[in-house]
């Protein structure tokens, strides 16, 4: 078994209802939920693999695909939408060359859409990791994203 | 024994049972998809709605999750109940346009056409109504858990992990047996059983040493022997018919008069 998983399971073992916490830790450690790792988790916890897959596909916090180092959340809530959020999303999507929900080949960025981050006065809003950017435009986003590139 | 009133008529019922069980026993017609006597009540399909007219909590609820209490009064044909039932059946027709069983059920309860038929374009030939009977039989009864729900909302579906060939599936066919929509395809061909719906998961069938018929998958036999203790070993390799003949031929000579 993979050492990292072994450790994660050890941390949670014996406590009922640990499956979600285990999946969260796996996601944190691997960046996503790899199939082989979930197979090991299922075995160790005695939970059917189908159930883990069910949970992993139900919660949007879990990803079954590798994710980028940075996650871009383009807001499409009502306020952002009215102020051109969709256009900003399209611009970002073209800049990094992936559709919402996908990750760039160099594993730098994952593009996601969200419905309101809770700061509509700054619309249109884009969040990169935990940093919030307001009054965004396609041009501004180019500069912002450059700061995250290595 | 307690007394419940259904459609203004009194019936006897056992304490702790569900209203739907009483309805079924008394032959009172009510549609349902997610309920099955071998499985825990689920309350997912909402078709078995009844109106509770008396007692502590009046209102409309699913009879499959309604525990009967003494003096319970329910109506199965109240106008609101019938209306809800028909809308639901229309939705199921749109959800599973490919299922003849669902069409038959809808027709039986007076629904021929669905106003929602054009909404779910992705549904096309889909037959699954997501009642979850297959999931529950696989998990609860068999203890296998080869299938489960995947995704969420309109993308919700039932399948194997990663939509691949299942290593957990034992090929018992219980999922197809309990499916109310006829949505699960299984093909036996030669010495193989192919679970078409579960991404062509293929299992080896065992041949009866006496009649040469294929009677169960090897994994089913292993599963049964791993769960039940003290099963005679020689029954591993014979079909149900041969099993009976074998036991009878041992038993009868002992008791028949010479």
């Amino acid at each position: 078994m993979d050492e990292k998983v072994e450790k994660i399971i050890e941390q949670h073992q014996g406590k009922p209802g640990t499956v979600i916490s285990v999946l969260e830790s796996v996601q944190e450690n691997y960046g996503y939920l790899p199939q082989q790792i979930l197979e090991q988790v299922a075995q160790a916890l005695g939970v059917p693999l189908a159930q883990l897959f069910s949970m992993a596909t139900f919660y949007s916090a879990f990803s079954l695909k590798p994710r980028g180092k940075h996650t871009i959340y383009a807001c499409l809530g009502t306020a952002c939408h009215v102020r051109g959020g969709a256009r900003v999303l399209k611009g970002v999507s073209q800049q990094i060359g992936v559709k919402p929900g996908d990750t760039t080949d160099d594993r730098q960025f994952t593009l996601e859409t969200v419905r309101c981050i809770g700061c509509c006065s700054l619309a249109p809003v884009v969040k990169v990791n935990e940093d919030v950017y307001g009054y965004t435009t396609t041009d501004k986003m180019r500069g912002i994203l450059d700061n995250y590139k290595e | 024994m307690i007394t419940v009133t259904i459609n203004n008529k009194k019936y006897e019922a056992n304490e702790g049972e569900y209203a739907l069980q009483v309805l079924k026993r008394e032959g009172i017609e009510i549609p349902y998809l997610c309920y099955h006597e071998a499985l825990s009540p689920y309350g997912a399909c909402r078709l078995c709605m009844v109106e509770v007219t008396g007692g502590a909590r009046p209102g409309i609820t699913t009879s499959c999750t309604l525990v009967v209490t003494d003096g319970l009064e329910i109506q199965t044909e109240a106008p609101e109940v019938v209306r809800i039932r028909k809308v639901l059946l229309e939705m199921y027709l749109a959800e599973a346009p490919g299922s003849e069983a669902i069409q038959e059920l809808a027709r039986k309860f007076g629904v021929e056409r669905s106003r929602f038929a054009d909404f779910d374009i992705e549904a096309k030939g889909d037959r699954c109504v997501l009642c979850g009977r297959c999931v529950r039989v696989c998990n609860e009864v068999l203890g296998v858990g080869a299938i489960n729900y995947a995704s969420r909302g309109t993308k919700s579906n039932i399948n194997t992990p990663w939509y691949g060939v299942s290593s957990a599936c034992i090929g018992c066919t219980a999922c197809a047996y309990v499916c109310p929509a006829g949505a699960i395809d299984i093909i036996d061909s030669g010495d193989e059983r192919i679970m078409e719906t579960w991404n062509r998961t293929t299992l080896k069938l065992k041949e009866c040493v006496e009649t040469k018929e294929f009677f169960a998958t090897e994994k089913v036999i292993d599963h049964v022997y791993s769960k039940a203790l003290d099963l005679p070993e020689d029954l591993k390799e014979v079909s149900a018919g041969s099993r009976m003949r074998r036991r009878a031929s041992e038993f009868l000579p002992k008791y028949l008069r010479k």
Side-chain angles (χ1 to χ4, degrees):
Chain A
M1 197 195 285
D2 194 285
E3 256 175 58
K4 270 194 273 183
V5 210
E6 221 167 342
K7 227 168 156 189
I8 291 167
I9 288 161
E10 214 171 274
Q11 277 165 8
H12 296 277
Q13 196 113 52
K15 291 177 208 153
T18 56
V19 176
I20 287 193
S21 322
V22 171
L23 293 187
E24 276 175 348
S25 303
V26 170
Q27 168 117 352
E28 221 169 89
N29 277 276
Y30 294 85
Y32 73 112
L33 303 177
Q35 183 169 350
Q36 298 97 303
I37 302 299
L38 288 203
E39 280 165 10
Q40 294 172 10
V41 171
Q43 187 105 52
L45 295 180
V47 174
L49 184 62
Q51 195 183 321
L52 295 187
F53 182 73
S54 181
M55 293 166 116
T57 53
F58 183 90
Y59 295 105
S60 56
F62 295 128
S63 172
L64 293 168
K65 285 186 284 186
R67 294 179 62 90
K69 215 169 149 206
H70 310 291
T71 308
I72 306 165
Y73 304 92
C75 184
L76 291 179
T78 311
C80 291
H81 187 82
V82 170
R83 305 202 54 177
R87 243 175 298 153
V88 175
L89 170 66
K90 200 175 157 199
V92 172
S93 175
Q94 278 169 357
Q95 280 165 31
I96 62 172
V98 293
K99 291 194 298 282
D102 286 344
T103 302
T104 54
D105 289 337
D106 60 4
R107 300 275 299 269
Q108 282 292 312
F109 296 107
T110 297
L111 181 59
E112 296 276 1
T113 60
V114 284
R115 308 280 148 183
C116 198
I117 305 172
C119 47
C120 307
S121 58
L122 304 177
V125 175
V126 174
K127 205 170 92 167
V128 182
N129 301 332
E130 293 306 313
D131 312 325
V132 177
Y133 298 94
Y135 309 117
T136 55
T137 62
T138 304
D139 281 343
K140 268 199 209 166
M141 282 316 298
R142 204 184 309 270
I144 290 166
L145 294 183
D146 280 343
N147 292 336
Y148 289 90
K149 277 186 198 152
E150 275 153 27
Chain B
M1 275 296 189
I2 55 175
T3 309
V4 295
T5 310
I6 304 166
N7 298 341
N8 307 319
K9 223 179 127 194
K10 284 193 176 5
Y11 297 92
E12 291 217 312
N14 303 311
E15 211 153 329
E17 71 180 334
Y18 295 98
L20 183 58
Q21 292 177 302
V22 183
L23 293 173
K24 276 178 55 127
R25 186 171 57 238
E26 300 297 345
I28 300 162
E29 289 218 325
I30 190 119
Y32 58 87
L33 290 169
C34 72
Y35 175 82
H36 190 280
E37 53 269 27
L39 306 170
S40 59
Y42 200 47
C45 77
R46 318 309 288 174
L47 276 174
C48 68
M49 289 277 201
V50 294
E51 185 174 1
V52 180
T53 50
R57 293 164 65 187
I60 289 177
T61 187
T62 47
S63 58
C64 70
T65 56
L66 176 67
V67 178
V68 293
T69 47
D70 199 29
L72 181 76
E73 282 174 34
I74 58 179
Q75 296 283 341
T76 64
E77 298 298 325
E80 186 62 4
V81 169
V82 174
R83 191 189 67 82
I84 291 172
R85 184 185 297 161
K86 285 189 164 178
V87 171
L88 283 168
L89 285 167
E90 279 190 79
M91 288 177 174
Y92 280 118
L93 283 178
E95 168 99 38
S99 172
E100 279 171 31
I102 299 296
Q103 284 157 17
E104 205 173 295
L105 183 76
R107 215 174 298 127
K108 193 171 154 195
F109 288 90
V111 178
E112 298 275 346
R113 216 172 286 270
S114 172
R115 285 170 289 166
F116 311 111
D118 299 331
F119 279 67
D120 198 351
I121 298 155
E122 276 173 39
K124 264 185 241 145
D126 197 4
R127 287 167 288 166
C128 178
V129 289
L130 301 171
C131 70
R133 276 199 207 177
C134 54
V135 173
R136 281 174 290 142
V137 79
C138 193
N139 282 276
E140 285 176 19
V141 180
L142 275 306
V144 170
I147 47 169
N148 212 311
Y149 286 95
S151 251
R152 180 169 44 137
T154 55
K155 293 195 169 68
S156 204
N157 64 91
I158 291 170
N159 219 309
T160 54
W162 284 271
Y163 306 100
V165 168
S166 170
S167 55
C169 177
I170 58 171
C172 67
T173 72
C175 48
Y177 179 77
V178 296
C179 180
I184 298 168
D185 298 323
I186 297 167
I187 297 166
D188 281 0
S189 130
D191 64 344
E192 283 183 337
R193 171 167 293 165
I194 304 160
M195 314 296 281
E196 282 287 337
T197 309
W198 311 133
N199 308 299
R200 295 185 62 84
T201 295
T202 303
L203 298 122
K204 270 259 172 296
L205 286 166
K206 191 134 183 166
E207 196 180 35
C208 172
V209 290
E210 286 176 9
T211 62
K212 302 291 171 209
E213 59 181 319
F214 293 107
F215 66 97
T217 64
E218 291 172 348
K219 276 195 175 178
V220 164
I221 297 165
D222 292 345
H223 191 71
V224 169
Y225 274 83
S226 74
K227 295 275 169 192
L229 300 168
D230 302 332
L231 285 176
E233 283 292 312
D234 70 315
L235 296 186
K236 269 186 177 175
E237 48 195 19
V238 287
S239 67
S242 309
R243 194 154 65 219
M244 265 190 275
R245 272 192 296 280
R246 251 191 203 188
R247 283 298 172 262
S249 63
E250 290 167 11
F251 175 81
L252 286 176
K254 280 191 219 163
Y255 295 94
L256 282 181
R257 242 177 270 157
K258 296 248 165 68

